[in-house]
Amino acid sequence: MSGLKLFHTTHSGVTEVAPRLAEVEADVQGLVEAHMETLLGVRFLASEYSTGPVHGGRIDSLALDENGSPVIVEYKRGTDAGVINQGLFYLAWLMDHRAEFEHLVRDRLGVTAASQVLWGGPRLICIAGDFTRYDVHAVREHRRSIDLVRYRLFGSDLLGLETVASVSGGVQVARRARRQAVARAAVDVEGASMVELAGAVDEVLLGLGDGVNRVERKQYRAYQRLRNFACLCPPQRSKLLVYLKVDPADVDLVPGFTRDVFGLGHHGTGDLEVQIRTPRDVERAQDLFRASYAAA
């Protein structure tokens, strides 16, 4: 975004809309918290959450993402070398206070949401005016899920967000090993053809770009940038179901291949269902996969 230029067009010409930072950090925090689900794909829980007199901290924002992972959001108006370490400090506190977080989720979102909190990959999202190359390097050295997001304000009513770096938590494994894990998970259920299709879809989704995180849930496997862009359900007897963050109104729906599931209950997130039955379907779906990845 540092190189992005935005122009207002009129019949008489174009006028550049100059980017700017917020006047104070609280302006960024207030804007994001008011629209957190739209901007980040996470549900807001609490603002300026106290970590108690012993720990002596205050978490800017607490949230829960689409897959049930706890999320800490920290904000800085400009560039601040301490934002990552500050966030990790709070993340360590959170892991030691799981019951307190689940109680907060129960109060805000209900018993069902609290029972589905996923502690395998808590996330830290840092939103700032900019980051240094040392920040980007630092997040790759930590075994935590960390997103660095740069913001800019344009004019009086435009906000831009750019993911500078996104790293998944846990030990990274080779892509081939990940594909083999997918195959082993499916082999007892569906047989060789579905194993191959599940592996092929997994390979394509992971290969769309840097910073793709995979989150394992019992009912589905989510592929995530800052937010989910694809959810792959366990194989059925003759097909795989993939849900994408693509507006079905923008797609020429093909019976037996793509379906509008807006308002219909299903596992995972996304309003466009893609049905994968053959390797050819994987190829046909790749433009839809890319569109959903770009939107995330």
Side-chain angles (χ1 to χ4, degrees), residues 13 20 22 35 79 81 127 154 170 227 244 266 280:
R20 61 182 176 86
H35 308 282
T79 304
I127 300 178
F154 295 86
R227 64 180 70 199
L244 302 176
H266 62 82
R280 172 59 181 156

Side-chain angles (χ1 to χ4, degrees), residues 233-248:
C233 292
Q236 298 183 10
R237 184 174 299 277
S238 61
K239 64 184 176 183
L240 299 171
L241 298 180
V242 184
Y243 294 97
L244 302 176
K245 292 288 187 68
V246 175
D247 188 345

Side-chain angles (χ1 to χ4, degrees), residues 10-14:
T10 65
H11 292 296
S12 59
V14 296

Side-chain angles (χ1 to χ4, degrees), residues 25-26 42 66 68 97 107 125 144 148 177 200 212 242 253 267 271:
E25 180 182 307
V42 303
E66 299 164 289
H97 294 77
D107 286 348
I125 301 176
R144 292 293 190 188
L148 303 184
V212 175
V242 184
L253 299 177
H267 294 305
D271 293 334

Side-chain angles (χ1 to χ4, degrees), residues 69-125:
S69 295
V71 179
I72 287 175
V73 186
E74 289 293 315
Y75 310 87
K76 297 298 178 184
R77 174 186 175 275
T79 304
D80 189 320
V83 63
I84 297 172
N85 287 333
Q86 182 179 359
L88 290 171
F89 181 65
Y90 292 139
L91 204 56
W93 176 89
L94 183 65
M95 294 301 290
D96 288 336
H97 294 77
R98 301 185 187 192
E100 183 174 336
F101 180 82
E102 290 175 4
H103 183 78
L104 176 66
V105 175
R106 184 166 59 251
D107 286 348
R108 300 290 192 272
L109 303 176
V111 175
T112 300
S115 68
Q116 296 175 348
V117 173
L118 186 68
W119 285 105
R123 298 173 59 194
L124 168 63
I125 301 176

Side-chain angles (χ1 to χ4, degrees), residues 48-180:
E48 299 296 328
Y49 190 85
S50 173
T51 58
V54 176
H55 188 269
R58 192 170 289 275
I59 298 171
D60 286 348
S61 301
L62 276 175
L64 193 71
D65 80 0
E66 299 164 289
N67 306 306
S69 295
V71 179
I72 287 175
V73 186
E74 289 293 315
Y75 310 87
K76 297 298 178 184
R77 174 186 175 275
T79 304
D80 189 320
V83 63
I84 297 172
N85 287 333
Q86 182 179 359
L88 290 171
F89 181 65
Y90 292 139
L91 204 56
W93 176 89
L94 183 65
M95 294 301 290
D96 288 336
H97 294 77
R98 301 185 187 192
E100 183 174 336
F101 180 82
E102 290 175 4
H103 183 78
L104 176 66
V105 175
R106 184 166 59 251
D107 286 348
R108 300 290 192 272
L109 303 176
V111 175
T112 300
S115 68
Q116 296 175 348
V117 173
L118 186 68
W119 285 105
R123 298 173 59 194
L124 168 63
I125 301 176
C126 300
I127 300 178
D130 213 342
F131 300 92
T132 69
R133 62 176 180 171
Y134 306 111
D135 294 329
V136 175
H137 175 75
V139 300
R140 292 171 180 158
E141 295 299 313
H142 291 286
R143 292 183 176 179
R144 292 293 190 188
S145 295
I146 305 175
D147 298 286
L148 303 184
V149 180
R150 180 188 293 132
Y151 83 91
R152 280 296 185 275
L153 301 174
F154 295 86
S156 61
D157 59 355
L158 293 176
L159 168 68
L161 297 178
E162 177 191 14
T163 302
V164 176
S166 182
V167 179
S168 61
V171 178
Q172 299 299 303
V173 296
R175 186 167 293 169
R176 178 175 295 181
R178 290 196 294 255
R179 182 169 181 171
Q180 290 172 348

Side-chain angles (χ1 to χ4, degrees), residues 200-273:
V201 171
D202 183 71
E203 188 84 3
V204 170
L205 293 174
L206 289 172
L208 287 173
D210 294 334
V212 175
N213 303 328
R214 193 176 68 187
V215 180
E216 301 286 349
R217 296 238 45 159
K218 182 178 179 180
Q219 302 90 350
Y220 62 90
R221 177 180 295 114
Y223 297 82
Q224 180 186 77
R225 294 180 77 189
L226 188 58
R227 64 180 70 199
N228 290 356
F229 67 88
C231 289
L232 172 63
C233 292
Q236 298 183 10
R237 184 174 299 277
S238 61
K239 64 184 176 183
L240 299 171
L241 298 180
V242 184
Y243 294 97
L244 302 176
K245 292 288 187 68
V246 175
D247 188 345
D250 297 332
V251 178
D252 292 328
L253 299 177
V254 178
F257 177 58
T258 49
R259 184 167 72 114
D260 181 353
V261 293
F262 176 76
L264 302 180
H266 62 82
H267 294 305
T269 57
D271 293 334
L272 181 68
E273 178 186 272

